[in-house]
Amino acid sequence: MHLVVARDATLERILDVTFPVWNDGLTRKAYGQLNDAQMRTSWGHAHLHRLALVDESGTLLSSAKRYRLRAVLRGRPVRVCGIGAVFTAPDARGRGYASELVARLVQEARQEGAEFAMLFSEIGPAFYERLSFQAVPLDEVSLAVERKDGAPAMLVRAGGESDLPALASMHAARAAASSFTLQRDPSYIQFSLARKRLRAGLAPPGVRHVEFYVAEEGASAVAYVILSINEQGWTLDEAGDRDPAAARLGAMLQVLVAREPSSAQPAIRAWWPRTFPVPPQLKMTRTGRSRDQLMMRPLADSPLPGDDVFYWRGDVF
């Protein structure tokens, strides 16, 4: 068996077999366009690859995405191998191909100097625990926004590419107190935002859309929010605020909710990092474990992070 970068017919085969599971409402053509467009972004081209485990004849056995990530562990920069979309076609299951694929990815990552492998499991922890991964807790919450008589008097505008350095700076400052977080430079944030917009843009009209807003002072972004919106409500994909109390973020959400004062407040869900303050205008109405479970495996002598991982829902892979 060989581990190879998936191209041409092998890539199309992967897309064919994974489409029924992860199409997210897209057509097969749009699903392929989404994959291609992510790979063409500046960050995706350098850091994201589809890999395939194939036999001697080139037949696909199992596949996954590999993300070469940089993170901060207790104040120290580390390299991380992100593993996503692990999949074996139904007619090839039960032969250990997925386990072999993950083992080879882990081995390569260790040789490249990565200190952790990381993935998100939709199938519970048992399979990946057998491969030495351990669950790391993340908090999933529902949020309620305190309504005001009218919207707060603050400027909220659409965010743009020129705001991305400010977003990266806000993230670094807010996440500094946590035991683990991604290094989110402007190119990574652009990739993450482009992926969300592509998924929305390629879906049927009206199914979902993405909103990116900033609050600014002195022509500089000082708070921001990125929302994914569908018929179930709002998902707060990520946010930031230079204010230590995150009051600007709370006021921004008040402004956005006030756009439709006669409508019921939408359901708002988020992953909320434990070191990120809850704005005074918000109330957490439910806290529990996330459905997608973050799992990590040390590849060196580094200990796993604590229960204060700083990770936004929009960065799931």
Side-chain angles (χ1 to χ4, degrees), residues 207-209 227-236 265-269:
V207 171
R208 65 177 66 89
H209 64 280
L227 300 166
S228 292
I229 298 175
N230 60 26
E231 61 181 7
Q232 278 79 46
W234 298 1
T235 298
L236 191 153
Q265 186 174 134
I268 306 175
R269 301 174 182 86

Side-chain angles (χ1 to χ4, degrees), residues 156-159 167 211-215 223-227 252 256 259:
V156 177
R157 63 166 175 81
L167 270 59
E211 297 186 352
F212 170 27
Y213 296 103
V214 301
Y224 80 97
V225 62
I226 298 177
L227 300 166
M252 289 181 70
L256 298 176
R259 291 178 298 182

Side-chain angles (χ1 to χ4, degrees), residues 3 9 17 22 34 41 54 61 72 84 129 131 136 147-148 178 199 210 216 218 228-229 232 235 247 256 307:
L3 187 64
V17 297
W22 290 310
L34 175 62
T41 64
V54 299
L61 305 175
V72 179
E129 285 175 344
L131 302 178
V136 177
R147 285 190 181 271
K148 294 177 64 69
S178 65
R199 185 176 287 111
V210 175
E216 65 178 7
S228 292
I229 298 175
Q232 278 79 46
T235 298
L256 298 176
D307 61 0

Side-chain angles (χ1 to χ4, degrees), residues 145-271:
V145 181
E146 178 187 353
R147 285 190 181 271
K148 294 177 64 69
D149 294 330
M154 70 179 306
L155 174 63
V156 177
R157 63 166 175 81
E161 190 169 347
S162 62
D163 295 309
L164 300 187
L167 270 59
S169 176
M170 278 184 262
H171 174 82
R174 278 292 177 216
S178 65
S179 62
F180 179 85
T181 188
L182 294 182
Q183 282 188 340
R184 305 180 77 251
D185 64 17
S187 68
Y188 176 82
I189 297 172
Q190 190 272 337
F191 164 79
S192 179
L193 182 58
R195 179 173 55 185
K196 299 178 187 66
R197 285 173 165 168
L198 286 163
R199 185 176 287 111
L202 290 167
V207 171
R208 65 177 66 89
H209 64 280
V210 175
E211 297 186 352
F212 170 27
Y213 296 103
V214 301
E216 65 178 7
E217 293 179 4
S220 177
V222 294
Y224 80 97
V225 62
I226 298 177
L227 300 166
S228 292
I229 298 175
N230 60 26
E231 61 181 7
Q232 278 79 46
W234 298 1
T235 298
L236 191 153
D237 285 324
E238 62 177 274
D241 196 339
R242 292 194 185 280
D243 180 0
R248 293 191 193 94
L249 171 60
M252 289 181 70
L253 289 170
Q254 286 182 319
V255 169
L256 298 176
V257 168
R259 291 178 298 182
E260 299 182 12
S262 63
S263 300
Q265 186 174 134
I268 306 175
R269 301 174 182 86
W271 287 1

